[in-house]
Amino acid sequence: MNKAVLEVRDLQKTFGAVTAAQDISVTVPEGAVYSLIGSNGAGKTTFVNMVTGYIKPDSGLINFGNRNIAGMAPRQITRLGIHRSFQIAQLCAELTVEENMLVADAIHGHPGPSFLRRAHNAEARERALATLERFHIAEHRDRLVPELSGGVKKLLDIAMAMAGETQIMMLDEPTSGVAADEKFPIMDLVMDALRSAGVTVIFVEHDMDIVTRYSERVLAFYDGRIIADDAPGEVLSDPEVQRYVTGAPA
Protein backbone atom coordinates (compact mmCIF):
# COMPACT_ATOMS: atom_id res chain seq x y z
CA MET A 1 0.00 0.00 0.00
CA ASN A 2 1.18 3.52 -0.78
CA LYS A 3 2.05 5.85 2.06
CA ALA A 4 -0.74 7.91 3.59
CA VAL A 5 -1.24 11.34 2.02
CA LEU A 6 -4.07 12.32 4.40
CA GLU A 7 -4.68 11.14 7.97
CA VAL A 8 -7.77 12.31 9.82
CA ARG A 9 -8.13 11.46 13.51
CA ASP A 10 -11.11 11.89 15.84
CA LEU A 11 -12.73 14.84 14.07
CA GLN A 12 -15.64 16.36 15.95
CA LYS A 13 -18.01 19.11 14.87
CA THR A 14 -21.33 20.29 16.27
CA PHE A 15 -23.66 23.09 15.23
CA GLY A 16 -25.70 23.82 18.33
CA ALA A 17 -27.54 20.60 19.17
CA VAL A 18 -26.68 19.00 15.82
CA THR A 19 -23.68 16.68 15.63
CA ALA A 20 -22.23 17.04 12.13
CA ALA A 21 -19.09 14.97 12.71
CA GLN A 22 -18.45 12.43 15.44
CA ASP A 23 -15.17 10.55 15.88
CA ILE A 24 -14.26 10.71 12.18
CA SER A 25 -10.99 8.88 11.48
CA VAL A 26 -9.75 8.14 7.94
CA THR A 27 -6.41 7.27 6.35
CA VAL A 28 -6.14 7.91 2.61
CA PRO A 29 -3.16 6.42 0.73
CA GLU A 30 -1.34 8.40 -1.92
CA GLY A 31 -2.92 7.93 -5.36
CA ALA A 32 -6.11 6.33 -4.02
CA VAL A 33 -9.66 7.02 -5.18
CA TYR A 34 -12.18 7.29 -2.32
CA SER A 35 -15.87 8.08 -2.53
CA LEU A 36 -18.12 9.46 0.19
CA ILE A 37 -21.76 8.38 0.28
CA GLY A 38 -24.69 9.14 2.56
CA SER A 39 -28.00 10.93 2.58
CA ASN A 40 -28.24 14.71 2.75
CA GLY A 41 -27.07 15.90 6.18
CA ALA A 42 -25.13 12.70 6.87
CA GLY A 43 -21.81 14.54 7.26
CA LYS A 44 -20.11 14.13 3.88
CA THR A 45 -19.91 17.81 2.99
CA THR A 46 -18.98 18.75 6.56
CA PHE A 47 -16.03 16.36 6.26
CA VAL A 48 -14.93 17.89 2.95
CA ASN A 49 -15.37 21.40 4.33
CA MET A 50 -13.23 20.60 7.38
CA VAL A 51 -10.44 19.09 5.28
CA THR A 52 -10.45 22.07 2.89
CA GLY A 53 -10.69 24.72 5.61
CA TYR A 54 -14.22 26.00 5.05
CA ILE A 55 -15.27 24.72 8.49
CA LYS A 56 -13.06 24.55 11.57
CA PRO A 57 -13.44 21.28 13.51
CA ASP A 58 -14.16 21.48 17.23
CA SER A 59 -11.41 18.95 17.86
CA GLY A 60 -9.32 16.33 16.09
CA LEU A 61 -6.39 16.24 13.68
CA ILE A 62 -6.12 16.55 9.89
CA ASN A 63 -2.58 15.59 8.99
CA PHE A 64 -1.31 16.46 5.51
CA GLY A 65 2.30 16.79 4.55
CA ASN A 66 3.48 16.09 8.12
CA ARG A 67 1.48 18.97 9.55
CA ASN A 68 -1.90 19.40 11.19
CA ILE A 69 -3.98 21.59 8.88
CA ALA A 70 -7.16 21.54 11.01
CA GLY A 71 -8.46 25.09 11.28
CA MET A 72 -6.22 26.57 8.57
CA ALA A 73 -7.81 28.95 6.05
CA PRO A 74 -9.00 27.54 2.69
CA ARG A 75 -6.44 29.52 0.71
CA GLN A 76 -3.59 28.19 2.86
CA ILE A 77 -4.79 24.63 2.40
CA THR A 78 -5.16 25.13 -1.35
CA ARG A 79 -1.59 26.40 -1.59
CA LEU A 80 -0.41 23.26 0.22
CA GLY A 81 -1.99 21.08 -2.48
CA ILE A 82 -5.54 20.11 -1.40
CA HIS A 83 -7.93 21.43 -4.04
CA ARG A 84 -11.68 21.04 -4.48
CA SER A 85 -14.55 21.54 -6.88
CA PHE A 86 -18.10 22.35 -5.88
CA GLN A 87 -21.45 20.78 -6.70
CA ILE A 88 -22.42 23.93 -8.61
CA ALA A 89 -19.65 24.95 -11.01
CA GLN A 90 -17.84 28.10 -9.86
CA LEU A 91 -17.38 29.83 -13.22
CA CYS A 92 -17.38 33.44 -14.42
CA ALA A 93 -20.09 33.74 -17.08
CA GLU A 94 -18.58 36.88 -18.61
CA LEU A 95 -15.29 35.16 -19.47
CA THR A 96 -14.30 32.58 -22.05
CA VAL A 97 -13.18 29.06 -21.10
CA GLU A 98 -9.53 30.04 -21.52
CA GLU A 99 -9.96 33.23 -19.50
CA ASN A 100 -11.60 31.30 -16.64
CA MET A 101 -8.67 28.91 -16.70
CA LEU A 102 -6.14 31.75 -16.68
CA VAL A 103 -7.79 33.39 -13.67
CA ALA A 104 -7.79 30.08 -11.79
CA ASP A 105 -4.14 29.52 -12.62
CA ALA A 106 -3.22 33.00 -11.40
CA ILE A 107 -5.20 32.67 -8.15
CA HIS A 108 -3.83 29.24 -7.33
CA GLY A 109 -0.25 29.97 -8.21
CA HIS A 110 0.28 33.71 -7.81
CA PRO A 111 -2.18 35.41 -5.46
CA GLY A 112 -1.77 39.13 -5.03
CA PRO A 113 -2.79 42.46 -6.54
CA SER A 114 -0.95 41.89 -9.83
CA PHE A 115 -2.11 38.33 -10.46
CA LEU A 116 -4.30 39.26 -13.44
CA ARG A 117 -1.32 40.78 -15.23
CA ARG A 118 0.64 37.57 -14.72
CA ALA A 119 -2.38 35.56 -15.89
CA HIS A 120 -1.90 36.80 -19.42
CA ASN A 121 1.74 35.92 -19.93
CA ALA A 122 2.82 33.21 -22.38
CA GLU A 123 3.75 30.70 -19.69
CA ALA A 124 0.35 31.01 -18.02
CA ARG A 125 -1.42 30.54 -21.35
CA GLU A 126 0.66 27.44 -22.04
CA ARG A 127 -0.27 25.95 -18.64
CA ALA A 128 -3.93 26.80 -19.14
CA LEU A 129 -4.05 25.20 -22.58
CA ALA A 130 -2.28 22.07 -21.32
CA THR A 131 -4.88 21.65 -18.58
CA LEU A 132 -7.77 22.24 -20.98
CA GLU A 133 -6.30 19.61 -23.31
CA ARG A 134 -5.94 17.16 -20.42
CA PHE A 135 -9.68 17.48 -19.82
CA HIS A 136 -10.47 17.42 -23.57
CA ILE A 137 -12.10 20.85 -23.61
CA ALA A 138 -9.43 22.91 -25.40
CA GLU A 139 -11.72 23.14 -28.46
CA HIS A 140 -14.05 25.32 -26.35
CA ARG A 141 -11.32 27.74 -25.26
CA ASP A 142 -12.86 30.79 -26.97
CA ARG A 143 -16.47 30.14 -25.94
CA LEU A 144 -18.25 31.98 -23.14
CA VAL A 145 -19.53 29.94 -20.19
CA PRO A 146 -23.28 30.33 -20.99
CA GLU A 147 -22.65 28.66 -24.36
CA LEU A 148 -21.34 25.45 -22.74
CA SER A 149 -23.18 22.22 -22.00
CA GLY A 150 -23.51 21.04 -18.40
CA GLY A 151 -20.82 18.44 -18.98
CA VAL A 152 -18.30 20.93 -20.35
CA LYS A 153 -19.03 23.33 -17.48
CA LYS A 154 -18.34 20.53 -15.01
CA LEU A 155 -15.08 19.64 -16.75
CA LEU A 156 -13.99 23.28 -16.79
CA ASP A 157 -14.77 23.66 -13.08
CA ILE A 158 -12.63 20.63 -12.23
CA ALA A 159 -9.88 21.75 -14.60
CA MET A 160 -9.80 25.12 -12.83
CA ALA A 161 -9.54 23.35 -9.48
CA MET A 162 -6.49 21.51 -10.87
CA ALA A 163 -4.60 24.78 -11.40
CA GLY A 164 -1.43 24.95 -9.34
CA GLU A 165 0.22 22.02 -7.61
CA THR A 166 -2.49 19.49 -6.71
CA GLN A 167 -1.91 16.48 -4.48
CA ILE A 168 -5.48 15.78 -3.37
CA MET A 169 -8.59 16.64 -5.37
CA MET A 170 -11.92 16.68 -3.54
CA LEU A 171 -14.92 16.61 -5.88
CA ASP A 172 -18.42 17.45 -4.68
CA GLU A 173 -20.87 15.43 -6.79
CA PRO A 174 -18.87 15.49 -10.05
CA THR A 175 -21.82 14.18 -12.11
CA SER A 176 -24.48 16.59 -10.80
CA GLY A 177 -25.95 18.76 -13.53
CA VAL A 178 -24.69 16.34 -16.18
CA ALA A 179 -27.05 14.54 -18.57
CA ALA A 180 -27.52 10.82 -17.85
CA ASP A 181 -25.82 9.79 -21.08
CA GLU A 182 -22.83 12.03 -20.28
CA LYS A 183 -22.07 10.86 -16.73
CA PHE A 184 -19.78 7.95 -17.59
CA PRO A 185 -17.89 9.75 -20.40
CA ILE A 186 -17.42 12.78 -18.12
CA MET A 187 -16.17 10.65 -15.23
CA ASP A 188 -13.85 8.73 -17.56
CA LEU A 189 -12.29 12.03 -18.66
CA VAL A 190 -12.04 13.34 -15.11
CA MET A 191 -10.52 10.19 -13.65
CA ASP A 192 -8.07 9.73 -16.54
CA ALA A 193 -6.91 13.34 -16.17
CA LEU A 194 -6.48 13.08 -12.39
CA ARG A 195 -4.74 9.69 -12.53
CA SER A 196 -2.33 10.92 -15.21
CA ALA A 197 -1.40 13.78 -12.87
CA GLY A 198 -0.85 11.38 -9.95
CA VAL A 199 -3.58 13.04 -7.88
CA THR A 200 -5.34 11.40 -4.95
CA VAL A 201 -9.11 11.68 -5.41
CA ILE A 202 -11.92 11.92 -2.83
CA PHE A 203 -15.38 12.47 -4.29
CA VAL A 204 -18.89 12.88 -2.90
CA GLU A 205 -21.49 11.04 -4.95
CA HIS A 206 -25.12 9.91 -4.74
CA ASP A 207 -25.03 7.77 -7.89
CA MET A 208 -24.09 4.25 -6.81
CA ASP A 209 -23.18 3.26 -10.39
CA ILE A 210 -20.51 5.97 -10.34
CA VAL A 211 -19.36 4.93 -6.86
CA THR A 212 -19.02 1.27 -7.85
CA ARG A 213 -17.29 1.95 -11.13
CA TYR A 214 -14.71 4.55 -10.10
CA SER A 215 -13.85 4.28 -6.39
CA GLU A 216 -11.41 1.88 -4.76
CA ARG A 217 -12.82 2.48 -1.31
CA VAL A 218 -16.08 3.89 0.01
CA LEU A 219 -16.81 5.81 3.20
CA ALA A 220 -20.50 5.64 4.13
CA PHE A 221 -21.71 8.47 6.39
CA TYR A 222 -24.77 8.49 8.60
CA ASP A 223 -25.68 10.95 11.36
CA GLY A 224 -22.20 12.47 11.40
CA ARG A 225 -20.46 9.08 11.70
CA ILE A 226 -18.70 6.75 9.28
CA ILE A 227 -20.71 3.53 9.44
CA ALA A 228 -18.71 1.63 6.81
CA ASP A 229 -15.23 1.99 5.31
CA ASP A 230 -14.28 -0.70 2.79
CA ALA A 231 -14.24 -1.70 -0.88
CA PRO A 232 -17.39 -0.69 -2.81
CA GLY A 233 -18.91 -4.17 -2.90
CA GLU A 234 -18.46 -4.67 0.84
CA VAL A 235 -19.88 -1.27 1.76
CA LEU A 236 -22.89 -1.45 -0.54
CA SER A 237 -23.82 -4.91 0.80
CA ASP A 238 -23.52 -3.77 4.44
CA PRO A 239 -26.96 -3.96 6.15
CA GLU A 240 -26.51 -0.58 7.88
CA VAL A 241 -25.57 1.09 4.60
CA GLN A 242 -28.57 -0.48 2.87
CA ARG A 243 -30.83 0.68 5.68
CA TYR A 244 -29.56 4.24 6.08
CA VAL A 245 -27.96 5.16 2.75
CA THR A 246 -28.94 3.22 -0.34
CA GLY A 247 -32.37 1.92 0.66
CA ALA A 248 -31.57 -1.34 -1.11
CA PRO A 249 -32.94 -4.55 0.39
CA ALA A 250 -30.56 -6.61 2.50
Side-chain angles (χ1 to χ4, degrees):
M1 180 181 290
N2 292 343
K3 68 178 182 179
V5 67
L6 181 71
E7 291 186 274
V8 175
R9 291 289 173 265
D10 303 318
L11 278 192
Q12 313 281 342
K13 183 63 184 179
T14 59
F15 298 100
V18 176
T19 299
Q22 180 178 342
D23 302 321
I24 301 296
S25 294
V26 178
T27 299
V28 181
E30 194 173 49
V33 180
Y34 276 43
S35 61
L36 314 181
I37 65 173
S39 60
N40 291 333
K44 309 179 303 298
T45 301
T46 296
F47 173 77
V48 171
N49 285 337
M50 287 191 292
V51 172
T52 55
Y54 288 84
I55 292 176
K56 182 177 181 179
D58 296 331
S59 61
L61 302 176
I62 304 172
N63 291 321
F64 173 69
N66 298 317
R67 65 191 298 182
N68 179 18
I69 63 171
M72 290 177 61
R75 179 166 288 186
Q76 291 176 290
I77 292 172
T78 297
R79 290 177 189 169
L80 291 175
I82 299 180
H83 297 182
R84 70 175 294 180
S85 70
F86 293 83
Q87 182 179 352
I88 299 173
Q90 306 293 295
L91 308 175
C92 183
E94 292 79 14
L95 301 180
T96 66
V97 167
E98 182 181 43
E99 288 167 342
N100 269 276
M101 194 68 227
L102 287 168
V103 171
D105 179 83
I107 291 173
H108 278 76
H110 306 284
S114 61
F115 80 93
L116 285 175
R117 184 170 65 249
R118 287 193 293 268
H120 288 82
N121 65 37
E123 184 180 346
R125 288 183 176 277
E126 185 177 331
R127 285 195 303 269
L129 182 58
T131 303
L132 293 175
E133 288 175 342
R134 176 177 286 167
F135 284 88
H136 294 208
I137 54 174
E139 65 188 273
H140 303 288
R141 61 191 294 182
D142 295 323
R143 297 180 67 189
L144 294 171
V145 168
E147 302 171 10
L148 306 176
S149 69
V152 174
K153 288 178 182 177
K154 183 67 70 170
L155 288 171
L156 175 58
D157 183 54
I158 296 171
M160 290 169 64
M162 273 289 287
E165 296 295 325
T166 310
Q167 294 186 55
I168 297 176
M169 175 63 74
M170 307 192 82
L171 307 172
D172 192 355
E173 298 194 35
T175 62
S176 68
V178 173
D181 61 345
E182 285 188 301
K183 67 178 185 179
F184 289 129
I186 291 295
M187 278 300 288
D188 285 342
L189 284 173
V190 169
M191 296 310 300
D192 286 348
L194 297 178
R195 286 194 190 102
S196 69
V199 173
T200 302
V201 182
I202 301 172
F203 68 92
V204 175
E205 186 57 65
H206 288 287
D207 188 322
M208 293 305 114
D209 291 335
I210 297 292
V211 168
T212 301
R213 182 164 175 169
Y214 296 99
S215 55
E216 301 166 9
R217 197 169 186 92
V218 180
L219 306 179
F221 284 74
Y222 174 71
D223 199 26
R225 299 176 291 113
I226 294 177
I227 60 173
D229 174 2
D230 211 326
E234 296 297 320
V235 170
L236 296 181
S237 63
D238 183 285
E240 273 200 306
V241 174
Q242 292 178 341
R243 179 179 181 184
Y244 296 118
V245 181
T246 64

